[in-house]
Amino acid sequence: MMLDRRTAIASFAALPLAAAPLGSRAFAAQTPVTVFEARRIVTMEPALPTARFVAVADGIVLGLGQTLDELAPWTTGRPTRIDRSLSGQVLFPGLIDPHVHPMLAAVMLNLPFIAPDDWDLPKGRYPGARTPREWWDRLRAALSASSTDPFICWGYHELFHGPLDRAALDALAPDRAVVIWQRSFHDVIVNSAALKAWGLGTAEAFAAAMAKAGADPKDSSFERGLFSETGLPVALGKMQPTLLGGGKVRAGMADLQRLMLTRGVTTVSDMGTGIFADFATEAGLIRTAFERADNPSRIMLMPLAHQIAASRDLDQMLRETEAAFAGPHVRVDRRVKLLADGAFFALNMRMNPPGYTDGHQGKWITPPTALAEMASRFWQAGYSLHIHVNGDEGLDAVLAAVERLPERRAQTVTLEHLGYSTEAQNRRIARLGLMVSAQPNYIRVLGDAYGRTGLGHDRAGAINRLGSLERKGVPLGLHSDFNMAPIDPFYLAGIAANRITIEGNRKVPSEALTLDKALRAITSEAAQVIGMDSLVGSIAPGKKADFAVLDRDPYAAGVAGLNRIGIAGVVFEGRFFPA
């Protein structure tokens, strides 16, 4: 029995299926099938790149075809509904952001943004401020309009906004606590009122807090009011009641999920659960936000290595974590996040000679020896590793640690961010069989600024050397690390394929990704770097029925048109959610 193409909704009585596989009759009799028709289905599967119809049941893809007749083996004898509501649209795999921080996003989405680049957020549009005068004018206006104490604002960057320290903030607000979060997240600068409110109003109290936290004293400065890298957790602990109280996490999570839906994102990985609190606390908050029937997305939780390193039995810890937090929308896997060198947006990454143009040195979050020991311990316990690394000296330390690990084919190593690498290092990455999850917004925001100050024009132009990785066959995902970049995979793909800065300059075109690689880096290969490519990342039988609903084919849009693709919503496990 064949489906009538002119029928919008068709139901069928159960019929015998002579060639049905063993065990399929119960499924056929009980499970309704939905067939979605689209103007075009772009699968990201080389065996069947495009289709017109896709059959879905129980949240998974049953099959695809150019005609309804081709799906008859899945629809004959089963209750079937043909959904033509998306027939004018293009279906694309649900987009994947393999590196976000939902707790960070929930916090930041409650704050004003004054950054060098433009931001479109659920609470409004924040135009970029690229000069000191623009930044100070915007800061004064935001401070005047807000009654919060402490006042917290995100997005400052010295190369755009000029020097900033405690004294400058004291002049702005002598009697009100002010916290300026640097564009990297890894640094905050505060005024004297904030230090006093936090019980850190003297140099002795400040130093004692850093010592208690085990922070490198070189990372932070009482005189400047600076908390950086290993000293940042001290400031985070002091800000926690302000950042996490009063329903802010709930509101921020709702804004995060709204961003994901409107950008076509159905799967993300929390690349480091436990930034503001311990793993269990943050995982519980994330589970509450995500584990809902009306949430069209799923998330993978990943612990920070230094937070769980004291666990004697990592197997038992993983079992308890899965039992406590895993569910239909929340995934827990045998993966762990490690951190090598400092932030790219703060010029804290460790750089090999000739180093920085001003002679300063970057910072280690985890010194190389400790990093190698931690990597070895988790590798021996069967964990796949995700290693935050930004500079080429940091990368040398990471590659040296990885080269000492015994081969384990069931485990993977993914380099997170990879802001600057050399051609020789990219050859090592390929030779070692590593994967990369890259943050391409570095070249867009910093490609010009770091040419003038920091790296020099030649190295700054080669930030995000992704074309080299593509030519060497390295599996590659693109991520936002929100709010280092917007949660918007087509935006990220557009940056990686065009390499145009916020000043309108194209940087080293040979390091651009091809259109196909850029699209795989937000779908199939983004799934691969987090070990979920058997479930998501393409539209194929047996995979989750997750689709981004688009107004055009991304391959037809071309690299210049990726940012202009309209998103009408998502299909998540077979259910449509409009944007």
Side-chain angles (χ1 to χ4, degrees), residues 444-464:
R444 173 167 168 76
V445 180
L446 303 171
D448 292 310
Y450 282 9
R452 293 186 289 265
T453 303
L455 299 181
H457 292 286
D458 49 356
R459 285 187 300 166
I463 289 170
N464 296 129

Side-chain angles (χ1 to χ4, degrees), residues 1 14-25 28 72-73 76-78:
M1 180 178 182
L15 294 176
L17 300 177
L22 182 65
S24 68
R25 291 181 185 272
T76 301
R78 298 182 178 122

Side-chain angles (χ1 to χ4, degrees), residues 65-86:
Q66 302 297 345
T67 67
L68 288 170
D69 292 351
E70 293 177 9
L71 295 178
W74 292 110
T75 58
T76 301
R78 298 182 178 122
T80 300
R81 181 174 70 92
I82 303 174
D83 188 329
R84 288 193 164 96
S85 62
L86 306 178

Side-chain angles (χ1 to χ4, degrees), residues 178 246 415:
V178 173
L415 306 178

Side-chain angles (χ1 to χ4, degrees), residues 245-285:
K248 291 180 180 177
V249 172
R250 182 172 60 254
M253 286 288 185
D255 282 347
L256 167 64
Q257 290 171 344
R258 180 66 181 164
L259 278 175
M260 292 169 60
L261 172 59
T262 58
R263 302 318 193 260
V265 177
T266 54
T267 300
V268 297
S269 176
D270 179 359
M271 197 54 63
T273 312
I275 292 177
F276 291 99
D278 59 90
F279 177 89
T281 298
E282 287 198 7
L285 291 168

Side-chain angles (χ1 to χ4, degrees), residues 23-35:
S24 68
R25 291 181 185 272
F27 175 84
Q30 298 174 9
T31 306
V33 175
T34 298
V35 176

